[in-house]
Amino acid sequence: MAAPSHELIAILDFGSQFVQLIARRVREQKVYAEILPHTTTAETLRARCVRGIILSGGPASVYQPGAPTCDRRILEMAVPVLGICYGMQLGCQLLGGKVGAAEAREFGRTPCRVESRSPLFEGIPAETVVWMSHGDHVASVSDEFETLAQSENTPNAAVKHRGSAFYGVQFHPEVTHTPFGPHLIRNFLYRICGCSGDWDMKSYVAQAAEMIRGKVDRAGVVCGLSGGVDSSVVALLLHRAIGDRVHCIFVDNGLLRRGEFEEVSQFFGREFQFHFHPVDASRRFLARLAGVTHPEEKRKIIGHEFVAVFEEEAKKLPDIRFLAQGTLYPDVIESTSAKGGPSSTIKTHHNVGGLPEKLGLRILEPLRDLFKDEVREMGRELGLPESIVGRHPFPGPGLAVRILGEVTPKRLEVLRAADAIFLEEIRQAGWYGRLWQAFVILLPVQSVGVMGDERTYENVAAVRAVHSSDGMTADWARIPYEVLDRAASRIINEVRGINRVCYDISTKPPSTIEWE
Ligand code: XMP
């Protein structure tokens, strides 16, 4: 995305897993950042009027043959450069420093002493903690460098080249484990590059819409809308970009939560002016799932059926040439081949895998550089109400992965009833917004209970509530006992078919958030 009207920071990608995180940290400081291949030339950067350049980390060693490098003239451009980890080692090597394997490699939180008088560390305590992850380091630098930080095993944990505006940090300011990381990045952008901070989510929406218009031209776009925050944001963004050439298809697979199909249909049918096609396909999904118990088989059946329904619907629509998906950055397991970086294997989670090839559609993934909280911010910017922006994630295969064993209409009803009670109690206790997800799982296990004077022999349900920032890792939530108590007792009393409730206290990893 070109951004001539905004201050621009170029991030040259040397294959770090954190390269998107660097871009996100810059965005948080209200400065526009673009990830570019490490081979980008000084001429290109000059033509783009970059305010500053960040050289990312990467898995290689600078002294290995074939290690990725950059145009050396970048360091002579009179534009500040910040090298991070590999980027620091490369910058130092190009400017005459010596890089070697560190005797003691450093991984994790590391105490570090920094030079607070340098603009890079201004306002940061002299004794601080940084997050290191390196096997090599800058072993020695000439008098042309000033050392700005040291740790026990890294004599040059941060440096500044006296003859240019090159700064290097061996640690990773972009990860949350470096507590003053955002402060350091802010110092680089504002004190060193002289940025004023002229960029925000409004600009991001405008640019993303412009990019979509450029790509789609006059064609139509189909979008699978589930009512979750990601697909809702994609739908609204597309509508902003290309108006009524976007068609949203909402499939009821019979595996939604209580009232969900009606609520989502009413909301999108009423509030927004785009083409919205709700499709009730619940019968065919449940028919295909009858008798199936294996989790992977269930997922496969649901995926195939979804493709079939979607294909039938999309064929009824005019001139559709694109399929839009709400893929987020954490879904992109390995980063940035699209940007030409060396970490070129991308694995993308396609919620509607198989469709694009079948229908000859091209994929649009306008959220693929964003993290969940940024998508929520974009949703607010696009006028999505808080009730949707703040919704918990819900898996594509729906309640099928929360009913262990066979999915039947009866078991779905039992789970829906229990799930509705749990969510109601969570909401009432003011916990909904504090959680990543909260839900009930119906187990294929029966236990003995007593109700009144009667013996019961019914199902066990598990309730799960987790905290997470991106779904990749999760911790179980320490919900107050009283809330759990109320939810469990209501579920057992009000839902026929459940006589015992357990609370899931597993973290991810090694468990996962969903049970299947
Ligand atoms: P797990 O269970 O793997 O899930 O820890 C991580 C996050 O992803 C959601 N999830 C899915 N989302 N399609 C989706 O769109 C799926 O097939 C799927 N499976 C899991 C899950 O709810 C959690 O937020």
Side-chain angles (χ1 to χ4, degrees):
M1 282 186 244
S5 53
H6 291 286
E7 295 166 345
L8 169 65
I9 296 293
I11 300 169
L12 301 195
D13 179 10
F14 291 91
S16 167
Q17 293 297 315
F18 302 132
V19 72
Q20 284 292 347
L21 209 46
I22 302 173
R24 180 212 164 111
R25 295 287 172 245
V26 176
R27 290 201 291 269
E28 278 173 358
Q29 301 297 337
K30 304 209 172 305
V31 177
Y32 178 66
E34 197 166 315
I35 298 168
L36 297 169
H38 64 89
T39 47
T40 307
T41 62
E43 284 82 17
T44 304
L45 294 171
R46 204 172 284 122
R48 300 287 308 276
C49 303
V50 294
R51 287 298 191 99
I53 299 165
I54 297 178
L55 311 180
S56 86
S61 290
V62 294
Y63 47 81
Q64 276 170 351
T69 186
C70 64
D71 182 348
R72 196 194 176 288
R73 294 168 306 157
I74 285 170
L75 300 168
E76 296 157 7
M77 271 175 57
V79 167
V81 178
L82 173 65
I84 297 176
C85 198
Y86 181 87
M88 169 194 186
Q89 294 159 15
L90 178 65
C92 287
Q93 191 192 49
L94 292 172
L95 291 165
K98 222 177 154 56
V99 179
E103 269 170 33
R105 302 188 308 168
E106 278 180 322
F107 291 97
R109 285 171 192 273
T110 309
C112 189
R113 187 173 173 76
V114 306
E115 179 48 76
S116 298
R117 278 170 303 175
S118 157
L120 190 63
F121 291 103
E122 207 170 304
I124 297 176
E127 303 288 343
T128 185
V129 169
V130 297
W131 196 76
M132 295 277 195
S133 175
H134 66 105
D136 297 333
H137 67 194
V138 176
S140 66
V141 284
S142 63
D143 288 347
E144 284 186 54
F145 285 87
E146 193 184 338
T147 296
L148 300 181
Q150 287 176 312
S151 70
E152 191 181 341
N153 294 307
T154 308
N156 297 298
V159 295
K160 155 87 173 61
H161 186 244
R162 293 182 204 275
S164 70
F166 175 78
Y167 288 80
V169 291
Q170 184 54 71
F171 54 88
H172 289 269
E174 70 275 28
V175 305
T176 50
H177 313 292
T178 298
F180 284 94
H183 196 128
L184 184 150
I185 286 173
R186 188 172 175 80
N187 281 346
F188 178 69
L189 299 173
Y190 287 78
R191 295 185 187 284
I192 297 171
C193 300
C195 293
S196 63
D198 64 355
W199 197 80
D200 55 17
M201 189 48 84
K202 200 183 176 85
S203 321
Y204 198 101
V205 167
Q207 280 173 230
E210 190 55 48
M211 189 269 290
I212 291 168
R213 275 192 290 274
K215 216 166 170 178
V216 167
D217 199 15
R218 306 300 312 159
V221 179
V222 73
C223 168
L225 181 61
S226 69
V229 58
D230 305 341
S231 63
S232 302
V233 169
V234 170
L236 257 65
L237 182 59
L238 283 165
H239 188 249
R240 168 85 56 104
I242 58 168
D244 63 3
R245 277 180 290 129
V246 58
H247 291 265
C248 296
I249 299 178
F250 174 40
V251 179
D252 181 0
N253 53 12
L255 306 164
L256 302 176
R257 288 163 292 189
R258 181 178 273 178
E260 197 162 18
F261 185 67
E262 295 74 20
E263 277 166 31
V264 172
S265 297
Q266 272 177 21
F267 178 76
F268 284 98
R270 192 185 59 221
E271 299 285 326
F272 294 100
Q273 305 301 313
F274 51 56
H275 298 296
F276 178 71
H277 311 272
V279 184
D280 180 359
S282 50
R283 277 168 178 239
R284 59 193 277 186
F285 275 86
L286 297 187
R288 295 273 287 112
L289 285 168
V292 180
T293 55
H294 195 276
E296 276 312 296
E297 207 182 327
K298 283 190 212 168
R299 277 179 175 269
K300 242 182 238 160
I301 289 172
I302 296 164
H304 284 158
E305 209 53 31
F306 188 78
V307 168
V309 172
F310 210 87
E311 192 182 5
E312 286 164 26
E313 295 302 316
K315 276 189 176 148
K316 298 177 193 163
L317 303 171
D319 194 28
I320 300 295
R321 272 185 264 147
F322 290 85
L323 171 79
Q325 297 194 148
T327 312
L328 307 193
Y329 182 64
D331 302 331
V332 182
I333 299 295
E334 289 185 273
S335 61
T336 67
S337 79
K339 309 263 164 65
S343 57
S344 58
T345 330
I346 288 188
K347 183 178 159 204
T348 312
H349 293 241
H350 289 295
N351 285 335
V352 283
L355 254 185
E357 305 83 57
K358 252 187 143 168
L359 289 173
L361 297 178
R362 291 171 64 195
I363 294 270
L364 277 182
E365 291 176 326
L367 311 182
R368 62 175 292 128
D369 289 344
L370 300 184
F371 291 77
K372 193 87 178 181
D373 54 345
E374 293 180 301
V375 172
R376 291 192 158 124
E377 201 188 328
M378 185 184 269
R380 289 186 189 104
E381 178 60 40
L382 287 162
L384 206 58
E386 213 52 39
S387 58
I388 295 208
V389 164
R391 276 186 101 181
H392 289 172
F394 186 62
L399 299 181
V401 292
R402 296 178 182 171
I403 292 180
L404 276 63
E406 190 185 357
V407 179
T408 63
K410 185 157 179 274
R411 299 187 81 207
L412 275 163
E413 265 324 295
V414 171
L415 178 57
R416 280 194 184 110
D419 196 66
I421 291 171
F422 185 46
L423 282 176
E424 200 178 304
E425 290 300 331
I426 289 287
R427 279 205 171 90
Q428 263 181 16
W431 270 77
Y432 187 88
R434 296 164 66 178
L435 298 170
W436 171 262
Q437 270 172 309
F439 55 92
V440 179
I441 307 102
L442 187 63
L443 307 186
V445 173
Q446 288 183 294
S447 78
V448 173
V450 54
M451 265 191 162
D453 291 330
E454 294 285 320
R455 173 188 191 272
T456 61
Y457 187 55
E458 288 178 339
N459 280 100
V460 179
V463 295
R464 182 135 171 85
V466 295
H467 298 291
S468 175
S469 61
D470 52 17
M472 311 287 274
T473 59
D475 193 10
W476 60 277
R478 274 60 170 175
I479 290 179
Y481 283 166
E482 306 77 62
V483 180
L484 289 174
D485 181 39
R486 234 181 351 262
S489 113
R490 277 194 60 199
I491 289 171
I492 293 167
N493 281 297
E494 295 175 31
V495 182
R496 217 166 248 265
I498 294 176
N499 70 351
R500 194 174 294 270
V501 170
C502 308
Y503 189 50
D504 181 351
I505 54 167
S506 328
T507 57
K508 174 184 180 175
S511 301
T512 53
I513 296 175
E514 304 289 346
W515 277 42
E516 285 194 343

mmCIF file of all heavy atoms in Angstrom, residues 50-69:
data_model
loop_
_atom_site.group_PDB
_atom_site.id
_atom_site.type_symbol
_atom_site.label_atom_id
_atom_site.label_comp_id
_atom_site.label_asym_id
_atom_site.label_seq_id
_atom_site.Cartn_x
_atom_site.Cartn_y
_atom_site.Cartn_z
ATOM 1 N N VAL A 50 10.960 7.919 2.836
ATOM 2 C CA VAL A 50 10.833 7.284 4.152
ATOM 3 C C VAL A 50 11.432 8.183 5.241
ATOM 4 O O VAL A 50 12.431 8.865 5.021
ATOM 5 C CB VAL A 50 11.504 5.888 4.197
ATOM 6 C CG1 VAL A 50 10.790 4.916 3.291
ATOM 7 C CG2 VAL A 50 12.982 5.970 3.887
ATOM 8 N N ARG A 51 10.798 8.186 6.401
ATOM 9 C CA ARG A 51 11.288 8.960 7.541
ATOM 10 C C ARG A 51 12.299 8.175 8.352
ATOM 11 O O ARG A 51 13.084 8.736 9.113
ATOM 12 C CB ARG A 51 10.126 9.308 8.461
ATOM 13 C CG ARG A 51 9.199 10.348 7.945
ATOM 14 C CD ARG A 51 9.966 11.660 7.766
ATOM 15 N NE ARG A 51 9.056 12.739 7.517
ATOM 16 C CZ ARG A 51 8.647 13.598 8.453
ATOM 17 N NH1 ARG A 51 9.079 13.514 9.682
ATOM 18 N NH2 ARG A 51 7.820 14.558 8.131
ATOM 19 N N GLY A 52 12.207 6.854 8.259
ATOM 20 C CA GLY A 52 13.117 6.011 9.018
ATOM 21 C C GLY A 52 13.035 4.600 8.479
ATOM 22 O O GLY A 52 12.086 4.257 7.754
ATOM 23 N N ILE A 53 14.061 3.794 8.820
ATOM 24 C CA ILE A 53 14.106 2.417 8.324
ATOM 25 C C ILE A 53 14.377 1.510 9.521
ATOM 26 O O ILE A 53 15.201 1.844 10.383
ATOM 27 C CB ILE A 53 15.242 2.260 7.276
ATOM 28 C CG1 ILE A 53 14.979 3.189 6.085
ATOM 29 C CG2 ILE A 53 15.378 0.803 6.814
ATOM 30 C CD1 ILE A 53 16.174 3.386 5.182
ATOM 31 N N ILE A 54 13.678 0.386 9.568
ATOM 32 C CA ILE A 54 13.966 -0.605 10.605
ATOM 33 C C ILE A 54 14.408 -1.884 9.907
ATOM 34 O O ILE A 54 13.748 -2.350 8.968
ATOM 35 C CB ILE A 54 12.723 -0.869 11.490
ATOM 36 C CG1 ILE A 54 12.328 0.418 12.231
ATOM 37 C CG2 ILE A 54 12.999 -1.991 12.485
ATOM 38 C CD1 ILE A 54 11.078 0.297 13.100
ATOM 39 N N LEU A 55 15.561 -2.411 10.316
ATOM 40 C CA LEU A 55 16.023 -3.695 9.776
ATOM 41 C C LEU A 55 15.579 -4.757 10.770
ATOM 42 O O LEU A 55 15.949 -4.713 11.944
ATOM 43 C CB LEU A 55 17.552 -3.715 9.639
ATOM 44 C CG LEU A 55 18.198 -2.504 8.942
ATOM 45 C CD1 LEU A 55 19.730 -2.686 8.903
ATOM 46 C CD2 LEU A 55 17.670 -2.348 7.518
ATOM 47 N N SER A 56 14.791 -5.725 10.323
ATOM 48 C CA SER A 56 14.216 -6.696 11.260
ATOM 49 C C SER A 56 15.260 -7.727 11.692
ATOM 50 O O SER A 56 16.362 -7.788 11.138
ATOM 51 C CB SER A 56 13.032 -7.426 10.610
ATOM 52 O OG SER A 56 13.478 -8.535 9.861
ATOM 53 N N GLY A 57 14.871 -8.554 12.638
ATOM 54 C CA GLY A 57 15.692 -9.705 12.982
ATOM 55 C C GLY A 57 15.536 -10.767 11.903
ATOM 56 O O GLY A 57 14.835 -10.578 10.904
ATOM 57 N N GLY A 58 16.187 -11.902 12.110
ATOM 58 C CA GLY A 58 16.092 -12.986 11.139
ATOM 59 C C GLY A 58 16.870 -14.190 11.622
ATOM 60 O O GLY A 58 17.688 -14.075 12.543
ATOM 61 N N PRO A 59 16.629 -15.354 11.025
ATOM 62 C CA PRO A 59 17.236 -16.583 11.534
ATOM 63 C C PRO A 59 18.692 -16.810 11.107
ATOM 64 O O PRO A 59 19.368 -17.673 11.666
ATOM 65 C CB PRO A 59 16.335 -17.682 10.938
ATOM 66 C CG PRO A 59 15.753 -17.065 9.702
ATOM 67 C CD PRO A 59 15.669 -15.591 9.944
ATOM 68 N N ALA A 60 19.188 -16.061 10.130
ATOM 69 C CA ALA A 60 20.521 -16.347 9.582
ATOM 70 C C ALA A 60 21.632 -15.764 10.468
ATOM 71 O O ALA A 60 21.373 -15.055 11.435
ATOM 72 C CB ALA A 60 20.611 -15.761 8.173
ATOM 73 N N SER A 61 22.885 -16.115 10.140
ATOM 74 C CA SER A 61 24.058 -15.481 10.745
ATOM 75 C C SER A 61 24.707 -14.628 9.675
ATOM 76 O O SER A 61 24.902 -15.095 8.548
ATOM 77 C CB SER A 61 25.080 -16.538 11.195
ATOM 78 O OG SER A 61 24.581 -17.234 12.296
ATOM 79 N N VAL A 62 25.040 -13.396 10.011
ATOM 80 C CA VAL A 62 25.527 -12.492 8.951
ATOM 81 C C VAL A 62 26.825 -12.970 8.305
ATOM 82 O O VAL A 62 27.123 -12.621 7.172
ATOM 83 C CB VAL A 62 25.713 -11.036 9.441
ATOM 84 C CG1 VAL A 62 24.393 -10.409 9.800
ATOM 85 C CG2 VAL A 62 26.678 -10.930 10.583
ATOM 86 N N TYR A 63 27.603 -13.794 9.035
ATOM 87 C CA TYR A 63 28.886 -14.229 8.470
ATOM 88 C C TYR A 63 28.759 -15.512 7.644
ATOM 89 O O TYR A 63 29.737 -16.011 7.102
ATOM 90 C CB TYR A 63 29.939 -14.397 9.585
ATOM 91 C CG TYR A 63 29.432 -15.171 10.790
ATOM 92 C CD1 TYR A 63 29.386 -16.563 10.773
ATOM 93 C CD2 TYR A 63 29.016 -14.499 11.937
ATOM 94 C CE1 TYR A 63 28.914 -17.261 11.872
ATOM 95 C CE2 TYR A 63 28.539 -15.193 13.051
ATOM 96 C CZ TYR A 63 28.496 -16.585 13.004
ATOM 97 O OH TYR A 63 28.027 -17.278 14.087
ATOM 98 N N GLN A 64 27.559 -16.060 7.547
ATOM 99 C CA GLN A 64 27.375 -17.250 6.713
ATOM 100 C C GLN A 64 27.296 -16.830 5.242
ATOM 101 O O GLN A 64 26.706 -15.790 4.941
ATOM 102 C CB GLN A 64 26.061 -17.954 7.066
ATOM 103 C CG GLN A 64 26.179 -18.882 8.238
ATOM 104 C CD GLN A 64 24.798 -19.370 8.692
ATOM 105 O OE1 GLN A 64 23.765 -18.884 8.241
ATOM 106 N NE2 GLN A 64 24.821 -20.313 9.601
ATOM 107 N N PRO A 65 27.849 -17.682 4.327
ATOM 108 C CA PRO A 65 27.708 -17.341 2.914
ATOM 109 C C PRO A 65 26.228 -17.304 2.524
ATOM 110 O O PRO A 65 25.452 -18.141 2.967
ATOM 111 C CB PRO A 65 28.421 -18.494 2.186
ATOM 112 C CG PRO A 65 29.061 -19.339 3.230
ATOM 113 C CD PRO A 65 28.565 -18.936 4.574
ATOM 114 N N GLY A 66 25.865 -16.336 1.721
ATOM 115 C CA GLY A 66 24.478 -16.246 1.244
ATOM 116 C C GLY A 66 23.516 -15.634 2.236
ATOM 117 O O GLY A 66 22.303 -15.609 1.996
ATOM 118 N N ALA A 67 24.028 -15.152 3.378
ATOM 119 C CA ALA A 67 23.119 -14.546 4.372
ATOM 120 C C ALA A 67 22.466 -13.307 3.753
ATOM 121 O O ALA A 67 23.110 -12.567 3.005
ATOM 122 C CB ALA A 67 23.905 -14.154 5.618
ATOM 123 N N PRO A 68 21.187 -13.075 4.058
ATOM 124 C CA PRO A 68 20.522 -11.910 3.447
ATOM 125 C C PRO A 68 21.161 -10.599 3.888
ATOM 126 O O PRO A 68 21.540 -10.444 5.047
ATOM 127 C CB PRO A 68 19.083 -12.016 3.961
ATOM 128 C CG PRO A 68 19.115 -12.947 5.112
ATOM 129 C CD PRO A 68 20.297 -13.849 4.925
ATOM 130 N N THR A 69 21.293 -9.709 2.931
ATOM 131 C CA THR A 69 21.897 -8.419 3.257
ATOM 132 C C THR A 69 20.995 -7.309 2.720
ATOM 133 O O THR A 69 19.887 -7.583 2.253
ATOM 134 C CB THR A 69 23.332 -8.336 2.678
ATOM 135 O OG1 THR A 69 23.932 -7.128 3.121
ATOM 136 C CG2 THR A 69 23.359 -8.406 1.164
#
